[in-house]
């Protein structure tokens, strides 16, 4: 049997903590990939996995992704991630969240948590009763930044899509540009609303068909079945649901010029970045374009530590740097013939001292 730490997904994580709390029933993994640039920041996912090895793989891949994301966003934070293994009914109790808060506290600030799929602002408030190493907490007062990272993530993706349209299609406006959006939740819904405001044409899909249909009605778009969205002829395919959708079959099905969306770990395997390039599709590396949320969460955390307030404008100014970073990656990719995904990975690895 291969040693666990020799598996490619382990990727020299600094620390992986397995948590089991008998009285609350909490089972969790906390992965700290790198603290080279600062405390390892990344959200907590609450998800039911069919097998524990899948949970570990997901946690490790997401954790490394956070190292890359935080480094590329210019944040003084390392990368980490937590996964709480839910049962089939996905029952989440206050006792579990308290035990999870204790586990985060026990790491002494090496890991800072926030929301991810399946975890709400209210859950983070519960965790914050046991540890200060938490962010994404509700804020009071108009103009103050913090709380749910979803709208900040959507804003960064909106700016990134506009940059991609400029780069690939030579257009300064997204008016009339056709966007196919996979997943119409917090991020996908936000991206669709921002682009609709600018006159983009929208095709939307979600496994929750009612949700996609309601948004299509609101924005004057069209809803299609979720298994039809990747093959929809469009200018931009925007994945905002789950990861690993860009595999051989998925890439072969695409009928678009650009892939730019918020889902984490969109490439099924590293070579799929080159497969997109080979098809002439411009790819916005996921962890670069979807950094808006962690920019907000990290800024909020650092400000709370320093006992100061953060204005939304401060966070937005940092998010506005995302298009420039994408442009640098695309230019280097065009000059070197190396895919945008690999260019981004190499940049991130250099920044975390592993290049
Ligand atoms: P969400 O739960 O609000 O929305 C996800 C939506 O995708 C849901 O409506 C769900 O029904 C739908 N969905 C799931 N599988 C689907 C499929 N196969 N086809 C079509 N629709 C499907 O989650 P979110 O916060 O919008 O996050 C979306 C993605 O963006 C996730 O991959 C998440 O990790 C990533 N992300 C989110 C943030 C953030 O700030 N929320 C930040 C960075 C990355």
């Amino acid at each position: 049997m291969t040693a666990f730490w020799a598996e490619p997904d382990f990727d020299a994580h600094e620390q992986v903590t397995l948590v089991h709390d008998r009285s609350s029933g909490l089972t969790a993994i906390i992965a700290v990939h790198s603290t080279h640039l600062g405390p390892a920041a990344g959200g907590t996912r609450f998800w039911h996995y069919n097998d524990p090895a899948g949970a570990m793989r997901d946690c490790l891949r997401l954790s490394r992704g956070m190292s890359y994301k935080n480094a590329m966003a210019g944040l003084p934070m390392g990368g980490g991630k937590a996964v709480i293994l839910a049962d089939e009914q996905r029952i989440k109790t206050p006792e579990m969240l308290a035990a999870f808060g204790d586990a985060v506290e026990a790491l002494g600030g090496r890991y800072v948590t926030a929301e991810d799929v399946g975890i709400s602002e209210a859950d983070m408030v519960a965790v914050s009763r046991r540890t200060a190493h938490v962010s994404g907490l509700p804020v009071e007062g108009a103009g103050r930044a913090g709380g749910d990272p979803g709208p900040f993530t959507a804003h960064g993706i909106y700016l990134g899509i506009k940059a991609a349209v400029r780069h690939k299609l030579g257009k300064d406006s997204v008016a009339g540009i056709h966007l196919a959006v996979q997943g119409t939740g917090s991020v996908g819904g936000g991206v669709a609303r921002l682009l609709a405001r600018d006159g983009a044409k929208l095709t939307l899909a979600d496994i929750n068909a009612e949700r996609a249909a309601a948004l299509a009605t609101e924005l004057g778009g069209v809803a299609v079945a979720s298994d039809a969205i990747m093959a929809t002829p469009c200018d931009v395919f925007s994945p905002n649901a789950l990861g690993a959708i860009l595999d051989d079959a998925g890439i072969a099905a695409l009928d678009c010029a650009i892939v730019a969306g918020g889902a984490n770990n969109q490439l099924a395997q590293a070579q799929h970045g080159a497969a997109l390039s080979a098809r002439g599709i411009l790819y916005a590396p996921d962890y670069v374009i979807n950094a808006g949320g962690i920019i907000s969460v990290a800024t909020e955390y650092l400000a709370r530590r320093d006992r100061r307030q953060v204005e939304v404008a401060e966070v937005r100014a940092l998010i506005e740097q995302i298009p420039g970073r994408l442009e640098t990656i695309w230019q280097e990719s065009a000059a070197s013939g190396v895919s945008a995904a690999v260019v981004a990975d190499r940049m991130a690895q250099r920044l975390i001292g592993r290049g």
Side-chain angles (χ1 to χ4, degrees):
M1 191 179 126
T2 321
F4 171 61
W5 44 89
E7 298 282 343
D9 288 332
F10 186 70
D11 190 46
H13 266 70
E14 288 180 18
Q15 184 174 1
V16 179
T17 306
L18 304 178
V19 184
H20 184 63
D21 179 66
R22 238 173 116 174
S23 62
S24 66
L26 171 79
T27 304
I29 306 166
I30 303 177
V32 172
H33 179 254
S34 167
T35 55
H36 182 76
L37 294 173
T44 298
R45 181 164 290 196
F46 182 84
W47 194 252
H48 172 68
Y49 294 87
N50 289 327
D51 93 281
M56 178 60 84
R57 204 175 310 119
D58 205 26
C59 193
L60 294 174
R61 283 176 50 116
L62 289 163
S63 166
R64 176 181 51 195
M66 290 310 302
S67 285
Y68 289 8
K69 189 185 302 198
N70 295 339
M72 292 294 275
L75 295 167
M77 309 297 274
K81 197 88 183 180
V83 164
I84 298 179
L85 284 81
D87 62 13
E88 246 170 294
Q89 286 75 44
R90 299 188 192 188
I91 293 167
K92 194 195 299 162
T93 64
E95 292 75 20
M96 271 182 194
L97 292 170
F100 180 70
D102 290 342
V104 172
E105 181 61 20
L107 293 175
R110 277 172 66 74
Y111 169 67
V112 178
T113 197
E115 295 90 343
D116 190 58
V117 176
I119 292 283
S120 66
E121 246 182 38
D123 294 335
M124 276 302 119
V125 172
V127 171
S128 76
R129 294 196 187 102
R130 309 297 273 247
T131 180
H133 307 301
V134 51
S135 193
L137 299 172
V139 281
E140 281 166 22
R144 297 266 184 259
D148 176 14
F152 294 100
T153 304
H155 183 63
I157 294 162
Y158 162 72
L159 297 177
I161 289 175
K162 292 210 303 183
V165 166
R166 208 176 302 123
H167 183 95
K168 179 77 179 172
L169 306 175
K171 294 187 177 166
D172 281 326
S173 159
V174 290
I177 291 290
H178 184 185
L179 194 86
V181 181
Q182 181 183 50
T184 54
S186 168
V187 173
V191 169
R193 283 194 178 86
L194 290 167
L195 285 153
R197 208 183 51 185
D198 286 0
K201 182 181 160 200
L202 296 171
T203 300
L204 308 170
D206 198 295
I207 45 166
N208 179 342
E210 276 176 28
R211 179 181 262 184
L215 192 64
T217 305
E218 177 193 326
L219 303 177
V222 174
V224 297
S226 61
D227 60 3
I229 193 72
M230 285 187 79
T232 300
C234 60
D235 298 303
V236 183
F237 170 63
S238 185
N240 297 290
L242 296 180
I245 45 136
L246 298 171
D247 56 10
D248 292 343
I251 292 172
L254 289 173
D255 188 356
C256 62
I258 295 163
V259 173
N264 282 314
N265 291 339
Q266 291 167 28
L267 302 176
Q269 286 166 327
Q271 75 268 19
H272 290 113
L276 285 170
S277 288
R279 284 213 49 205
I281 296 171
L282 184 72
Y283 175 59
D286 46 17
Y287 56 82
V288 181
I289 195 171
N290 74 10
I294 193 70
I295 289 172
S296 168
V297 159
T299 309
E300 174 195 332
Y301 176 74
L302 295 170
R304 192 175 299 113
R305 193 189 61 183
D306 299 343
R307 297 180 194 284
R308 66 179 190 90
Q309 303 268 15
V310 192
E311 304 291 326
V312 170
E314 186 182 329
V315 173
R316 285 198 166 223
L318 295 171
I319 293 174
E320 278 159 18
Q321 294 175 18
I322 290 175
R325 286 197 188 98
L326 290 170
E327 188 55 45
T328 304
I329 291 164
W330 293 326
Q331 283 181 15
E332 195 168 319
S333 168
S336 62
V338 173
S339 72
V342 170
V343 168
D345 283 358
R346 287 180 186 165
M347 284 180 177
Q349 282 155 2
R350 275 196 300 275
L351 288 168
I352 64 168
R354 298 192 187 186

